[in-house]
Amino acid sequence: MRTPIVMGNWKLNGSKESVTALIKGIEAAADAAPNVEVAVCPPAIFIDQVATLCANNSIEFGAQDISTEVSGAFTGETSTVMVKEFGAKYSLVGHSERRQYHNETDALVAAKFVAIQANGLVPVLCIGETLEEREADVTKKVVETQIKAVIDLAGIEALENCVIAYEPVWAIGTGKVATSEQAQEVHAHIRSWLAEQSKVVAEKVQILYGGSVKAASAKELFAQPDIDGGLVGGAALIVEEFVGIIEGAK
Ligand code: PEP
């Protein structure tokens, strides 16, 4: 049995006040769902605050992006060791907004994945196709290529200790959620493709769906056999929505 994860990606949003209100607003629901892991990925500057707020609840937290480097002359970067010191468990890696706006290649994503694991965090590897790629019927090839870059660098065993987030780019922040059938089809493909390389990895790895998940769509998505929870953007900033999504994973 894979534990479902409901993870909020807050992106570039929040203030000291809203961060406190959000954590206070969701913590009771997180604590009341012991079979669901609830996590948030705030902007790096709020990790300290989130760590303090989550000291006595079950909410885990992580970074949205991380440097391949641990320390040194790398202006503007945040390292795995730094976020780990505050108690972070996860780091997202390869989010489509990083790939799109910061030109992150599969090779860089793989290097970040390795750095995240090397320093004791769990990578949440984000993958997914664009609308053009879906229309060209190359979705499966695209997600295979994105995962293969990590396998080529780190080995298949590295995927035993990671989370994969399948996020069709056309569904992120657009309000266009993939149907549960569309999502399940890709999740099942990812799992069977992984099984050709390692049955252990395929059975173990949690594959989250991301892309305009809302309280209203969560339950049906999470009921699919290969969907192990969600990575949630916009709805993670609204207490009632995020609580509803946690309920949908119970
Ligand atoms: C995301 O940022 O990972 C995401 C899925 O965003 P949204 O839920 O807003 O589509």
Side-chain angles (χ1 to χ4, degrees):
M1 254 320 260
R2 294 178 293 270
T3 302
I5 303 176
V6 173
M7 185 175 289
N9 171 18
W10 292 355
K11 312 195 188 197
L12 186 57
N13 294 294
S15 63
K16 284 197 212 175
E17 195 183 341
S18 74
V19 163
T20 299
L22 206 39
I23 296 293
K24 293 279 168 215
I26 64 173
E27 66 183 352
D31 289 347
N35 61 330
V36 180
E37 187 179 321
V38 177
V40 296
C41 297
I45 192 141
F46 294 123
I47 283 181
D48 188 10
Q49 187 184 344
V50 167
T52 304
L53 286 163
C54 295
N56 296 310
N57 63 37
S58 59
I59 302 170
E60 301 282 359
F61 56 93
Q64 296 176 11
D65 177 47
I66 213 79
S67 177
T68 53
E69 307 298 327
V70 163
S71 63
F74 302 101
T75 303
E77 297 280 64
T78 306
S79 91
T80 48
V81 173
M82 292 170 184
V83 298
K84 175 99 178 138
E85 192 181 349
F86 287 96
K89 177 171 180 182
Y90 295 104
S91 177
L92 305 184
V93 61
H95 191 281
S96 66
E97 287 152 17
R98 300 291 315 173
R99 294 180 190 261
Q100 213 178 328
Y101 307 139
H102 300 271
N103 301 319
E104 292 199 5
T105 60
D106 283 342
L108 179 60
V109 170
K112 288 187 174 190
F113 183 105
V114 168
I116 291 165
Q117 280 191 336
N119 294 297
L121 296 175
V122 178
V124 180
L125 175 64
C126 303
I127 56 171
E129 81 288 2
T130 61
L131 185 59
E132 295 70 42
E133 289 164 338
R134 174 158 282 263
E135 286 172 350
D137 204 18
V138 292
T139 296
K140 290 173 183 168
K141 197 76 230 153
V142 168
V143 296
E144 285 173 18
T145 304
Q146 290 170 330
I147 302 173
K148 190 172 178 300
V150 172
I151 296 173
D152 286 349
L153 187 67
I156 183 72
E157 313 74 41
L159 271 65
E160 268 184 51
N161 188 28
C162 84
V163 175
I164 292 175
Y166 167 61
E167 302 202 296
V169 178
W170 49 271
I172 298 180
T174 58
K176 276 190 221 159
V177 63
T179 64
S180 49
E181 292 78 20
Q182 282 174 318
Q184 166 59 22
E185 187 189 358
V186 181
H187 282 234
H189 175 75
I190 294 167
R191 206 178 296 286
S192 63
W193 182 76
L194 288 172
E196 289 167 16
Q197 302 163 76
S198 165
K199 291 211 164 29
V200 176
V201 167
E203 270 307 304
K204 194 172 171 202
V205 70
Q206 289 138 311
I207 309 178
L208 313 185
Y209 168 78
S212 298
V213 176
K214 301 269 186 305
S217 54
K219 201 175 175 65
E220 190 185 324
L221 282 163
F222 301 164
Q224 304 305 310
D226 291 295
I227 301 183
D228 306 311
L231 180 57
V232 184
L237 299 169
I238 304 163
V239 168
E240 307 75 56
E241 279 293 324
F242 199 63
V243 165
I245 294 168
I246 295 168
E247 303 287 331
K250 271 185 177 175

